[in-house]
DNA sequence: TAGCCGTGGGA
DNA sequence: TTCCCAAGGCT
């Protein structure tokens, strides 16, 4: 018997969500720096890396300062990686700053200081994965690709699949699903990507979605089904932060960012009481290249 | 591939 | 206070 509950595998044509979403986006989209006319592709790349797991409101000020200091990839590449880590400040996941510096170095050296437009070329850069590569190709260059982040996955899970929340991210399934929603027209497809993301960020949010103001409420599968509880596999929850190695790494990094001179081992030892965990955090930071030095010379951000 | 990698805002 | 979760990527 045919499974009529599996909306994703049904042959029946699905309602058009792109058209009403783009109309809504034109009227309601936030005024954000990377949506300004003439915003450079380099700015789009920097913004997308900063936005990985980080809220828009925290990114905007850092982004403007970053682009003022480093207007092109070559400008960033000419600075020590530690300066990128310092300028990253408290955005979190500082490995992103190191990856961005490495990406800038590659762009300056291998791409004539021009951010690549090709998705595969973008994917080859450090710190750029399925989401960021397509976001740059679509939002900086206007090309036609599916862009899938957590907002898109949530909107598609609800509106198209009729599920309350997205399962674990899976490119093999997520990219074709978003592709199936995109209009053929290149510019309309780019607008649809932005619109679906924006809906997920502003209306179709994880907790307490604002279905009463949703422009596609009348064609939402989840709503039509009566908002069933999510039953399928759930996206994994992140581990507790308090007391974690992540917290200790963050404390060590804050210490190094705040110092213009190498930080002594004694000073490092003051950031956290547990010696074993401290050692583990410091070792992992050294392994990541976020910290250089040793007990004899002290510890500092990478200068070359 | 499941687990790890920061920090902070909002409920 | 505590918990959730945020324009993901890497190994």
């Amino acid at each position: 018997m045919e499974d009529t509950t599996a909306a994703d595998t049904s042959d029946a044509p699905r309602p058009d969500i792109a058209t009403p979403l783009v109309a809504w986006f034109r009227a309601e989209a936030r005024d954000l720096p990377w949506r300004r006319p003439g915003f450079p592709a380099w700015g789009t790349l920097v913004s997308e890396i900063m936005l990985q797991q980080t809220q828009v409101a925290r990114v905007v000020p850092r982004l403007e300062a970053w682009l003022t200091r480093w207007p092109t990839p070559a400008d960033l590449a000419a600075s020590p990686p530690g300066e990128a880590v310092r300028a990253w400040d408290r955005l979190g996941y500082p490995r992103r700053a190191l990856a961005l510096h490495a990406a800038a170095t590659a762009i300056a050296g291998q791409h004539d200081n021009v951010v690549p437009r090709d998705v595969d070329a973008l994917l080859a850069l450090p710190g750029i994965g399925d989401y960021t590569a397509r976001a740059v190709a679509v939002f900086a260059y206007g090309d036609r690709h599916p862009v899938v982040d957590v907002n898109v996955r949530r909107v598609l899970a609800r509106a198209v699949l009729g599920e309350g929340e997205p399962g674990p991210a899976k490119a093999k399934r997520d990219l074709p699903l978003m592709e199936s929603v995109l209009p053929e027209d290149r510019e309309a497809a780019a607008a649809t990507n932005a619109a679906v993301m924006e809906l997920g960020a502003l209306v179709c949010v994880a907790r307490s979605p604002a279905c009463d103001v949703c422009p596609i409420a009348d064609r939402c599968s989840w709503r039509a089904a009566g908002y069933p509880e999510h039953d399928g596999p759930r996206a994994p929850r992140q581990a507790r932060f308090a007391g974690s190695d992540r917290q200790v790494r963050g404390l060590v990094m804050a210490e190094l960012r705040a110092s213009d001179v190498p930080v002594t081992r004694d000073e490092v030892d003051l950031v956290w009481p547990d010696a074993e965990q401290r050692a583990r955090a410091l070792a992992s930071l050294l392994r990541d290249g976020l910290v250089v030095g040793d007990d004899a010379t002290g510890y500092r951000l990478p200068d070359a």
Side-chain angles (χ1 to χ4, degrees), chain A residues 262-265 292-300:
Chain A
V263 173
T264 68
R265 178 56 186 257
V292 297
D294 53 39
D295 283 358
T297 65
Y299 296 92
R300 63 191 188 280

Side-chain angles (χ1 to χ4, degrees), chain A residues 239-244 246-247 272:
Chain A
R240 163 181 224 85
F241 177 71
S244 67
R246 276 187 299 160
Q247 181 178 15
W272 191 256

Side-chain angles (χ1 to χ4, degrees), chain A residues 55-165:
Chain A
Q55 301 93 325
V56 167
R58 290 208 292 141
V59 163
V60 171
R62 281 291 114 221
L63 174 67
E64 313 247 280
W66 191 282
L67 294 177
T68 297
R69 180 172 181 182
W70 295 302
T72 79
D75 296 315
L76 177 57
S79 287
E83 280 306 294
V85 173
R86 201 186 302 276
W88 199 253
D89 196 40
R90 304 184 64 81
L91 277 180
Y93 293 146
R95 293 191 292 196
R96 292 183 293 167
L98 222 45
L100 179 53
H101 183 275
T105 301
I107 293 168
Q110 302 164 30
H111 298 281
D112 285 331
N113 207 27
V114 176
V115 173
R117 178 171 185 161
D118 179 69
V119 168
D120 287 326
L122 286 161
L123 285 170
L125 297 172
I128 297 187
D130 284 323
Y131 165 75
T132 305
R134 290 172 178 80
V136 169
V138 171
F139 300 137
Y141 293 113
D143 288 338
R144 189 182 181 285
H145 305 282
V147 179
V148 177
D149 74 332
V150 67
N151 292 305
V152 171
R153 295 197 305 107
R154 186 172 53 252
V155 170
L156 294 178
R158 290 173 176 167
V160 178
L161 304 181
E163 298 170 1
E165 51 185 271

Side-chain angles (χ1 to χ4, degrees), chain A residues 211-236:
Chain A
C211 303
D212 53 332
V213 298
C214 179
I216 57 170
D218 65 342
R219 57 200 73 185
C220 176
S221 297
W222 188 45
R223 178 182 177 86
Y227 303 117
E229 286 295 313
H230 183 75
D231 55 350
R234 303 183 59 170

Side-chain angles (χ1 to χ4, degrees), chain A residues 169-302:
Chain A
K170 201 59 218 107
K172 286 279 182 285
R173 179 197 60 210
D174 299 335
L175 289 174
L177 181 57
M178 183 56 181
E179 164 67 37
S180 75
V181 163
L182 293 182
E184 285 305 317
D185 179 75
R186 194 176 66 102
E187 291 177 23
T192 300
N193 278 306
V196 175
M197 285 182 65
E198 191 79 342
L199 189 81
L202 297 183
V203 175
C204 195
V205 294
R207 289 174 289 186
S208 308
C211 303
D212 53 332
V213 298
C214 179
I216 57 170
D218 65 342
R219 57 200 73 185
C220 176
S221 297
W222 188 45
R223 178 182 177 86
Y227 303 117
E229 286 295 313
H230 183 75
D231 55 350
R234 303 183 59 170
R237 278 175 37 201
Q238 71 180 5
R240 163 181 224 85
F241 177 71
S244 67
D245 287 2
R246 276 187 299 160
Q247 181 178 15
V248 182
R249 284 168 54 106
L251 292 170
V252 173
M253 290 304 296
E255 194 75 19
L256 296 196
R257 282 197 309 268
S259 177
D260 289 330
V261 297
V263 173
T264 68
R265 178 56 186 257
D266 284 348
E267 291 169 324
V268 171
D269 286 347
L270 290 176
V271 307
W272 191 256
D274 185 299
E276 187 176 340
Q277 199 174 9
R278 254 185 353 245
R280 197 165 58 232
L282 186 55
S284 73
L285 289 169
L286 288 162
R287 191 181 324 123
D288 287 346
L290 283 164
V291 175
V292 297
D294 53 39
D295 283 358
T297 65
Y299 296 92
R300 63 191 188 280
L301 301 178

